[in-house]
Amino acid sequence: MDVLLGNVKDNLRGFVLKAARLRALEDDEELFGSGLVTSLFAMQLIEYIEKDYPIVVDGDDMNLRTFKSVNTVSEFVVRKLAESAGSRNGK
């Protein structure tokens, strides 16, 4: 597993567990479809991501596919980080 992806997953899982007051959470468990979290929580998660990582979550990024699970959110964050690094390096 990619080290960065693993670190992002650990970080996001910890946030979700604490913020949603959950005892356990599988990385592929649906966050919204299962009713674990609410739309208000989605905004908290986006705020957390933008505060913790040097990325911006655009309106096009705000969808259930991106925020389906810890896995999908982590993959999204890593992809945005790579895009951001590419932009800064002139790519």
Side-chain angles (χ1 to χ4, degrees):
M1 175 190 287
D2 180 67
V3 174
L4 176 59
L5 181 59
N7 290 340
V8 171
K9 278 186 187 183
D10 289 344
N11 188 19
L12 291 174
R13 186 183 324 101
F15 173 78
V16 173
L17 287 170
K18 183 177 179 183
R21 298 180 182 173
L22 300 172
R23 290 179 177 234
L25 178 68
E26 297 295 324
D27 289 346
D28 60 351
E29 192 169 349
E30 285 194 31
L31 298 174
F32 296 95
S34 65
L36 290 175
V37 296
T38 65
S39 56
L40 177 59
F41 175 80
M43 298 313 297
Q44 293 171 321
L45 180 57
I46 290 167
E47 182 179 317
Y48 177 77
I49 290 168
E50 291 183 332
K51 187 171 133 186
D52 238 40
Y53 300 97
I55 62 173
V56 174
V57 179
D58 298 317
D60 292 343
D61 300 322
M62 294 183 206
N63 59 67
L64 290 177
R65 187 177 61 247
T66 300
F67 290 91
K68 180 179 180 179
S69 67
V70 169
N71 280 336
T72 60
V73 176
S74 300
E75 290 163 1
F76 164 74
V77 169
V78 169
R79 180 174 47 80
K80 292 291 270 192
L81 288 169
E83 289 172 6
S84 178
S87 296
R88 286 193 306 267
N89 293 330
K91 293 183 179 182

